[in-house]
Amino acid sequence: MRKIGLILLCLFALYVAYLYITGKRITYLIPKGYEGVLLIIGNQKEGIEINKSHAIYDFTKSNIIKLKGDLITGFSPWGYLNYYEVDEEGNKEKIETINDEVEYAADVKGDKIYIWSYYYEIGSCEVKSNGKTNYEVIVVGKKKNVETFAIEKQQLVNKEICNKKAPN
């Protein structure tokens, strides 16, 4: 019985190692000081091609990126999902991720910019001219501004993707 447990443990370790080695690396480049909503739209005719094994989403010129293919989704091992602030010289500084709602994020420094994964969203909607479109939305900002960006997130999705009238 102990041998079966050991074999199962070894198989699990190999599986985790396999996921880590073959996992998709995704890097987000965000302009230094940017606060707001970032949007990635999949399956767009005028979109860009990305490397599926190491996607780099460069938001330094626009807060919206359109892809020719579908979004990269699924399991990304620890450390393979990275967000960086990029200054005008191209220097990168890692942005920390917060997993809680704003009201529960007690350890957050008020003047620091974070990625708010609580407000992260992957979705899809029907668009008359293009069929079904998938999207990814990310909220970046200081604690005091996050609630505003959460509202702007849905307005941007409605305006840019779903062609619905944005809520007032």
Side-chain angles (χ1 to χ4, degrees):
M1 196 66 170
R2 293 179 82 201
K3 284 186 178 184
I4 292 174
L6 184 59
I7 290 171
L8 290 175
L9 181 62
C10 288
L11 288 174
F12 178 73
L14 285 172
Y15 177 68
V16 170
Y18 168 79
L19 289 176
Y20 190 79
I21 292 167
T22 62
K24 299 168 185 138
R25 291 167 173 82
I26 304 173
T27 301
Y28 299 81
L29 303 176
I30 302 163
K32 185 159 184 73
Y34 176 82
E35 289 188 80
V37 180
L38 302 174
L39 177 62
I40 303 168
I41 308 169
N43 302 316
Q44 301 296 297
K45 291 176 186 170
E46 69 280 3
I48 61 170
E49 296 281 343
I50 59 166
N51 180 333
K52 296 284 187 181
S53 62
H54 186 179
I56 298 174
Y57 297 126
D58 187 351
F59 289 101
T60 57
K61 303 211 182 341
S62 173
N63 69 323
I64 300 171
I65 294 178
K66 296 179 180 181
L67 305 176
K68 281 192 185 220
D70 207 358
L71 299 176
I72 296 176
T73 58
F75 178 72
S76 289
W78 314 271
Y80 280 29
L81 189 61
N82 295 292
Y83 302 92
Y84 294 99
E85 277 189 312
V86 181
D87 66 17
E88 292 176 2
E89 287 82 40
N91 300 312
K92 295 183 221 172
E93 186 177 327
K94 194 157 176 93
I95 303 175
E96 190 178 337
T97 301
I98 300 298
N99 295 317
D100 290 331
E101 276 185 85
V102 175
E103 61 188 83
Y104 299 114
D107 296 336
V108 173
K109 296 175 186 163
D111 60 341
K112 189 173 175 184
I113 293 174
Y114 297 93
I115 301 295
W116 293 84
S117 63
Y118 178 82
Y119 298 97
Y120 174 86
E121 177 182 341
I122 292 180
S124 65
C125 59
E126 296 292 330
V127 180
K128 291 178 185 173
S129 61
N130 295 338
K132 191 170 188 170
T133 301
N134 298 315
Y135 62 89
E136 177 179 347
V137 188
I138 301 158
V139 173
V140 182
K142 297 175 185 171
K143 183 176 182 176
K144 66 182 179 180
N145 300 327
V146 172
E147 294 296 332
T148 302
F149 299 140
I151 294 167
E152 288 178 15
K153 175 180 85 164
Q154 195 56 50
Q155 292 172 337
L156 185 63
V157 167
N158 288 340
K159 177 183 173 212
E160 294 294 329
I161 307 166
C162 299
N163 295 332
K164 297 177 187 172
K165 185 178 177 185
N168 293 333

